[in-house]
Amino acid sequence: AGPCDIYSSGGTPCVAAHSTTRALYSSFTGALYQIKRGSDGATTTISPLSAGGVANAAAQDTFCANTTCLITIIYDQSGRGNHLTQAPPGGFSGPDTNGYDNLASAIGAPVTLNGQKAYGVFISPGTGYRNNAVSGTATGDAAEGMYAVLDGTHYNDACCFDYGNAETSSTDTGNGHMEAIYFGDNTVWGTGAGSGPWVMADLENGLFSGLSSGNNAADPSVSYRFLSTIVKGEPNQWAIRGGNAASGSLSTYYSGARPSASGYNPMSKEGAIILGIGGDNSHGAQGTFYEGVMTSGYPSDATENSVQANIVAAKYAAGSLTSGPALTVGSSISLRATTSGYTTRYIAHTGSTVNTQVVTSSSSTTLKQQASWTVRTGLGNSACYSFESVDTPGSYIRHYNFGLLLNANDGTKQFHEDATFCPQSGLNGQGNSIRSWSYPTRYFRHYNNILYVASNGGVDTFDATASFNADVTWVISTGFA
Ligand code: AHR
Ligand code: AHR
Ligand code: AHR
């Protein structure tokens, strides 16, 4: 059985079921998600390898070979058509065209399930999915449940990495108009024990970790690599539960009455579905989503415990974030451009500006050092890399406003993540393309000989599709110095 078969047996059927990694019903054979590639704008759908099985990641890899792919639709497996698509503008406008949020890269969250490769949905700040024209989800004070499997190591303190029930207008229509799972270390509204991240309930104008606004010490900091999260609610009763999605059982972090603050009892749920954003399209948060559902009715703890056992049996494990020619930690490297007319240029820096410069064996020692980089274990994720300046130890290439800068490591989580990059096989068939870990739609790109993290066809000038594959591909060799 799949998670939704279990919810059905418990009398609380799924009314929305979303996953890019696997079927959530044992008989499901339809499309799990749709992707769109950068080379020609073509789309395709990815389905399970077999009924009830794991997504056909190889089909995605073939379709996306030598280009970029975005996740355009996350289909609803429940049959109700509650698909998630690019979130529209609301209280806040997104960064993409016409105020829409960005779409996620199709390769930002590689995993294996029982050894079979699949991809999750890696939400960078600015990214979001939504459905405001839903069927069958809870409205008003009606009962519902939801779970989501997330990456407990990928979060931030911005508003709001959510999955669940929100406003149909994409605007803040008042307390109690949402009921969604939140994950992260935002401290504006609620907190739990320790410094976070926490699973909380986004009930609109408040992230709740328990009965009262503010701190509820029974809600623990949780950072399992694969994290099971649950929020459920019915008249004057709601709960937060969570656990390790790779082993063991769920714990109940809160179960009891609705908050006494005005507007949350009874609830005024509207039934739209959000992923990666807040109810009003706040889009500053980050996180990773693998699978999740919403139910009709308040699931019993026993039903949820069976769903947790099903998730554990799916055997989520981390996948490889890198491909192509390997890098050696501790070595000094040079990175040569592959764009025709620019192939004598290497990634270098002038002060804090990262650029390309023509470098040869007879260049000055100063220039050779400026064009040489020490490979370090990724500051923000040890499965990827950071690049330390040979002439300015302690300073690393990082992105800032999507430009690349050479900055001193200030020790912050933000810096570490901005300075972490995942090399993959070069998009033009040579060497490596170097993907931002935290914004996996973006790659090291030279544009007018200045370095950016660019997306293929994004809103900035440096995102131009012309020459994209060549501009993001680098031949990596031994450093000059
Ligand atoms: O409740 C927290 C956030 O507050 C909601 O997600 C958003 O709509 C509002 O800004
Ligand atoms: O480069 C994008 C973002 O810009 C970085 O993550 C952040 O440090 C800056 O605001
Ligand atoms: O960086 C040099 C060139 O500038 C790039 O190849 C091109 O895309 C841009 O015009």
Side-chain angles (χ1 to χ4, degrees):
C4 287
D5 303 306
I6 296 167
Y7 278 113
S8 277
S9 301
T12 51
C14 294
V15 291
H18 301 114
S19 179
T20 55
T21 65
R22 65 170 182 147
L24 300 176
Y25 293 84
S26 62
S27 63
F28 188 81
T29 56
L32 298 170
Y33 62 106
Q34 184 196 63
I35 52 178
K36 183 171 87 165
R37 67 185 174 201
S39 52
D40 60 0
T43 59
T44 195
T45 58
I46 303 298
S47 298
L49 287 162
S50 59
V54 175
N56 187 354
Q60 172 179 311
D61 291 343
T62 301
F63 183 77
C64 302
N66 297 107
T67 188
T68 53
C69 273
L70 299 172
I71 298 172
T72 37
I73 304 175
I74 305 166
Y75 292 105
D76 171 20
Q77 300 176 32
S78 80
R80 289 181 173 269
N82 290 327
H83 313 311
L84 293 171
T85 59
Q86 187 170 20
F92 294 92
S93 289
D96 204 358
T97 311
N98 297 323
Y100 277 64
D101 294 350
N102 287 325
L103 294 164
S105 163
I107 60 169
V111 290
T112 59
L113 280 73
N114 277 305
Q116 290 179 301
K117 187 177 181 184
Y119 294 100
V121 185
F122 189 102
I123 301 282
S124 307
T127 303
Y129 294 83
R130 193 170 193 121
N131 186 328
N132 285 337
V134 275
S135 145
T137 51
T139 57
D141 206 27
E144 68 175 348
M146 63 196 79
Y147 87 85
V149 177
L150 309 174
D151 179 344
T153 69
H154 184 210
Y155 60 88
N156 70 7
D157 63 3
C159 176
C160 288
F161 181 73
D162 288 354
Y163 174 72
N165 193 320
E167 292 94 340
T168 53
S169 59
S170 298
T171 60
D172 179 349
T173 50
N175 297 1
H177 285 246
M178 296 179 63
E179 185 168 69
I181 295 165
Y182 166 83
F183 178 66
D185 64 348
N186 182 290
T187 59
V188 171
W189 295 281
T191 57
S195 56
W198 305 283
V199 184
M200 299 193 274
D202 190 342
L203 305 180
E204 189 51 279
N205 300 312
L207 303 176
F208 286 86
S209 54
L211 179 61
S212 44
S213 304
N215 181 262
N216 293 280
D219 194 28
S221 293
V222 279
S223 52
Y224 300 114
R225 173 64 179 79
F226 296 98
L227 173 68
S228 297
T229 63
I230 283 181
V231 165
K232 54 183 169 179
E234 64 180 347
N236 199 24
Q237 165 67 35
W238 68 287
I240 309 173
R241 307 183 74 206
N244 185 344
S247 73
S249 54
L250 296 172
S251 299
T252 300
Y253 302 150
Y254 175 76
S255 178
R258 291 289 185 182
S260 56
S262 156
Y264 301 105
N265 189 19
M267 294 286 284
S268 308
K269 295 176 234 187
E270 298 190 23
I273 307 174
I274 52 173
L275 172 59
I277 49 179
D280 57 6
N281 197 43
S282 296
H283 50 69
Q286 63 183 27
T288 297
F289 174 90
Y290 299 107
E291 59 177 78
V293 311
M294 298 171 65
T295 70
S296 169
Y298 193 81
S300 68
D301 284 3
T303 295
E304 290 165 348
N305 295 346
S306 298
V307 169
Q308 163 69 4
N310 178 279
I311 294 164
V312 170
K315 284 204 173 14
Y316 273 94
S320 175
L321 284 163
T322 60
S323 63
L327 273 60
T328 304
V329 170
S331 67
S332 170
I333 61 168
S334 63
L335 302 99
R336 183 177 60 76
T338 64
T339 308
S340 173
Y342 299 87
T343 57
T344 57
R345 303 183 77 98
Y346 292 79
I347 297 179
H349 76 97
T350 304
S352 62
T353 301
V354 180
N355 52 25
T356 63
Q357 298 189 52
V358 176
V359 188
T360 69
S361 56
S362 46
S363 294
S364 68
T365 300
T366 300
L367 179 56
K368 285 178 172 174
Q369 289 187 345
Q370 288 168 339
S372 297
W373 306 93
T374 306
V375 178
R376 300 296 184 198
T377 299
L379 294 168
N381 186 312
S382 61
C384 294
Y385 299 97
S386 295
F387 301 102
E388 185 178 10
S389 167
V390 162
D391 70 6
T392 316
S395 286
Y396 292 78
I397 297 177
R398 64 87 62 97
H399 62 86
Y400 190 84
N401 292 338
F402 309 127
L404 287 187
L405 297 178
L406 183 68
N407 282 168
N409 178 5
D410 63 11
T412 60
K413 179 169 172 282
Q414 183 73 60
F415 185 93
H416 291 171
E417 294 180 353
D418 289 349
T420 299
F421 301 96
C422 308
Q424 66 183 66
S425 300
L427 289 190
N428 74 356
Q430 303 178 52
N432 293 96
S433 293
I434 302 168
R435 197 173 72 247
S436 163
W437 173 77
S438 54
Y439 287 83
T441 58
R442 296 175 175 274
Y443 294 83
F444 274 22
R445 185 207 190 144
H446 65 101
Y447 195 86
N448 294 338
N449 303 325
I450 301 294
L451 263 289
Y452 300 89
V453 277
S455 64
N456 195 3
V459 297
D460 286 303
T461 317
F462 53 78
D463 296 325
T465 54
S467 190
F468 185 84
N469 276 12
D471 289 354
V472 301
T473 302
W474 307 90
V475 170
I476 298 180
S477 305
T478 303
F480 291 102

